[in-house]
Amino acid sequence: MSSSAAVTRDDDLRAEQAYLTTLYKRLDSLRTQADDRLRAILLEGGGTPQGRAQREATRSHYAEQLAQMNAVENGLCFGRLDFAADQPRYIGRLGLSAEEHDRDPLLVDWRAPAARPFYLATAVSPDGVTRRRHLRTKGRTVTAIDDEVLDLEAGAGGREDVTGEAALLSALTASRTGRMRDIVETIQAEQDEVIRAGLNGVMVVQGGPGTGKTAVALHRAAYLLYTYRGQLTKQGVLILGPNPTFLRYISQVLPSLAETGVLLATLGDMFPGVRARAVEPAAAAALKGRTVMLDVLERAVADWQTVPADYVEVDHDGYPLRIERAVLEDARAAARRPGRPHNVARSIFVTEAIHALSLQIAERIGADPLGGDNLLSAADLAETRRELREDIDVQRVLFDFWPVLTPRRVLRELLSDPDRLESAGRELTEAERALLLREHDARWTPADVPLLDELAELLGVDDTLKARQVAQERREAIEYAEGVLEIVEGSRSLDFEDQEEEILSAIDVVDASAFVERHEVLDTRTAAERAAADRTWAFGHVIVDEAQELSPMAWRLLMRRCPSRSMTVVGDVAQTSELAGTTTWEQVFEPFVAQRWNLVELTVNYRTPAEVMAVAADVLAAVDPALEPPRSVRTAGVEPWALRVPSVALPSEVIAAVRLEAAEAGNGRVAVIVPEAREAALGSALVDAVPGAAVGEQPDLLNQVVLMTVRQAKGLEFDAVIVVEPDEIIAESPRGLSDLYVAVTRATRRLGVLHTAELPKVLSALA
């Protein structure tokens, strides 16, 4: 660089530093204002229910503002656009203006239409932009700038498939930290098209390893919340990931984009009150994911609707009452006829049975000895029915034949009772039923959750019982309040009975009902928090990552959560590992939206270097010759390696390879991906030999070295990856080739393979 160019660059750095300082001063000012207003609101108290609700809404607004401003502290401003006939436009994580209604903002939110040229402008199509500048910052200091001059002459020689090449390559080659970083500074054109697509309909984003599917999905969530905030703040956005480790990995991305109100969950979290984390055989999970389970569950519920073999006797008002089988069969048929959920239909069963029993009693005590009409009036019959309803013994008998059920009870009994499973699962083979059987107190697995959700639909909730309970609780609260006010009034009467002037007390200005209303607790939870606790919540938008792994039963659950069918689905059918997963998107969506879904493909690989992708391409060709691998934008300068070792030496060779790769990675992260059968032994050896190594179902990715299975590595990336015993990974599953494809594409720099048997043919390039 010439001395004059260096001087110019120093001047530019000082100028950008001055502007960045101005931005942070404005951010600090706004933060102080929001904090002051929040403190003032918290000091207020009392008021009407409406006033308290308004105050809570205001408090929530300022609390959200503070959370957003705190989250964008790092990397507040990252870009600048220069125009031939306009003022420079600075791009950042949050919009800032010098004044509240200023038309010329100090900083443009990256999601605003005015920021879009930062991601789309090229030398061929500059969109009025003469220069695009990337600002690199550390804390509140500008550390470097990268400029792109967008005219045909200066732009010649650059890549046509990427924008901001210098900033992009800098981000791609940076060491991994164990947490995903946002890509807001380096979003590429094909990614931007997905991120800014409209809210309505199902959009499927198909992309190979390293194409940024997950990052695009998260930035799309931030964009939708910015563009449709009024709607989505109320309804909420759900992001469904494959496992808890993955959710921890992506957990910092949305807060860094100034969004904190999204619900992150796995399939195992989607039934309130259940955290399904247990692991079960892949074949059992696959069977639970098939739609054949719909008939099994429906019959399992019906099997609880029983009748006696002949009759049952119950004591009523001192007399034996005989309930015939035919009576309960008729009552059951009447309850089943409307097709209502089990718990809702129970009231019909009870009503029909009580009516039949009342007629039986009428025949016994009201018969005319001369053979005429029954002597009991309609009022007498109604009173008899009331007495039967209040008879605990009668209700207990009826409850035995049509009980109130919960999804958890029905599924536990079904999966632990061979007789119930045989009765409900008549179309299942004996081997399939054996797969499903387990201990009664077994922990819940993710594949159980769609079954619990389906059972909740089949069982329903009797709203009349819930309404009665709410009304009873309110009556009790009012009675308690009346007692409190009477005590206050009695105290007032004793203290002031000799005084002539009238003195107001609590009972003079508020009655018991208003007193209860004033002290009712407001629901201050966010939409995401309420949604997590409500199985029937309808989300405004649902984003599904690693979507190819979901079973048909899991998709039924998600479609119930999103009746508007506003969804973003990201995945790669070549990476399908779960036996209940899909290999075609048509198979997933035709049952729900027919052909009304849109497929977008990401074709550029930003993560996996060309050397590693050359190895992965052979594996992909074995998975499906028709599939094309994504194009890598860079090389790493390091060739992947393979080493065959004696079986007895495998643990020590793994440890040696880890130490070598960790030294090469510097501050980066190293993953050892192993067959499930070897996880325990190799994990134990690694933890003993390498301080700080992590292993287990939910390993901490902040550790430099992590040993995990392919299933646990889904969606993650590491600087270096060591794949152990690839032939065993292939053999462990009917979709073992897809598993190997996942394993070899987790690396951003270096890939190594350790094996004791012959290297699989799909990895022959390594030989």
Side-chain angles (χ1 to χ4, degrees), residues 694-763:
V695 65
E697 185 61 29
Q698 297 183 34
D700 188 347
L701 299 181
L702 295 179
N703 292 53
Q704 186 185 23
V705 177
V706 180
L707 184 142
M708 56 197 346
T709 65
V710 175
R711 177 175 55 82
Q712 296 161 348
K714 280 280 183 177
L716 308 180
E717 60 183 19
F718 305 89
D719 296 272
V721 170
I722 302 168
V723 179
V724 178
E725 299 288 32
D727 60 317
E728 293 182 19
I729 290 176
I730 294 173
E732 277 187 332
S733 165
R735 291 181 172 166
L737 283 170
S738 293
D739 288 345
L740 183 60
Y741 183 58
V742 171
V744 299
T745 54
R746 299 304 95 196
T748 66
R749 296 187 196 174
R750 301 167 62 87
L751 171 67
V753 175
L754 285 171
H755 58 107
T756 59
E758 288 287 338
L759 200 63
K761 289 183 179 180
V762 292
L763 296 180

Side-chain angles (χ1 to χ4, degrees), residues 170-300:
S170 175
L172 294 178
T173 56
S175 296
R176 269 46 192 172
T177 64
R179 292 288 183 268
M180 176 181 274
R181 293 182 292 242
D182 63 66
I183 62 168
V184 66
E185 303 174 31
T186 57
I187 294 170
Q188 300 300 299
E190 69 169 6
Q191 296 172 330
D192 187 79
E193 292 291 336
V194 174
I195 290 169
R196 296 176 191 267
L199 180 65
N200 296 330
V202 175
M203 179 169 63
V204 179
V205 183
Q206 162 74 32
T211 53
K213 300 183 298 298
T214 298
V216 165
L218 294 171
H219 288 67
R220 174 159 169 74
Y223 170 78
L224 292 176
L225 284 163
Y226 173 85
T227 308
Y228 305 96
R229 188 167 300 281
Q231 176 181 345
L232 294 182
T233 299
K234 294 178 181 178
Q235 296 179 320
V237 173
L238 167 68
I239 296 181
L240 193 81
N243 55 59
T245 302
F246 175 85
L247 294 186
R248 288 197 305 275
Y249 176 63
I250 69 172
S251 61
Q252 300 304 311
V253 174
L254 281 168
S256 75
L257 300 174
E259 296 299 343
T260 57
V262 174
L263 177 62
L264 300 178
T266 68
L267 181 64
D269 302 320
M270 293 304 294
F271 193 86
V274 169
R275 286 178 60 81
R277 296 288 186 267
V279 179
E280 64 184 330
L287 178 55
K288 291 177 183 178
R290 289 166 44 194
T291 53
V292 68
M293 293 301 295
L294 294 172
D295 292 333
V296 175
L297 296 177
E298 190 171 343
R299 278 195 293 270

Side-chain angles (χ1 to χ4, degrees), residues 456-468:
E457 293 291 310
L458 292 170
L459 296 175
V461 178
D462 189 348
D463 290 333
T464 59
L465 293 176
K466 186 176 180 181
R468 282 189 213 136

Side-chain angles (χ1 to χ4, degrees), residues 305-366:
Q305 302 162 1
T306 60
V307 295
D310 189 8
Y311 67 89
V312 63
E313 282 193 352
V314 60
D315 182 81
H316 172 63
D317 200 21
Y319 294 95
L321 187 62
R322 180 166 166 148
I323 307 177
E324 301 287 347
R325 173 189 175 94
V327 168
L328 294 182
E329 282 183 333
D330 290 344
R332 182 173 64 179
R336 287 176 172 176
R337 197 172 298 121
R340 296 178 183 175
H342 170 90
N343 290 333
V344 178
R346 184 179 183 277
S347 62
I348 300 176
F349 173 79
V350 172
T351 297
E352 292 292 324
I354 292 292
H355 177 69
L357 293 177
S358 69
L359 295 179
Q360 185 183 137
I361 293 173
E363 285 295 321
R364 187 181 67 198
I365 66 175

Side-chain angles (χ1 to χ4, degrees), residues 142-166:
V142 179
T143 58
I145 56 178
D146 294 310
D147 286 343
E148 294 174 272
V149 180
L150 299 184
D151 61 59
L152 290 176
E153 292 183 4
R159 294 179 60 102
E160 295 182 358
D161 56 350
V162 299
T163 58
E165 185 172 354

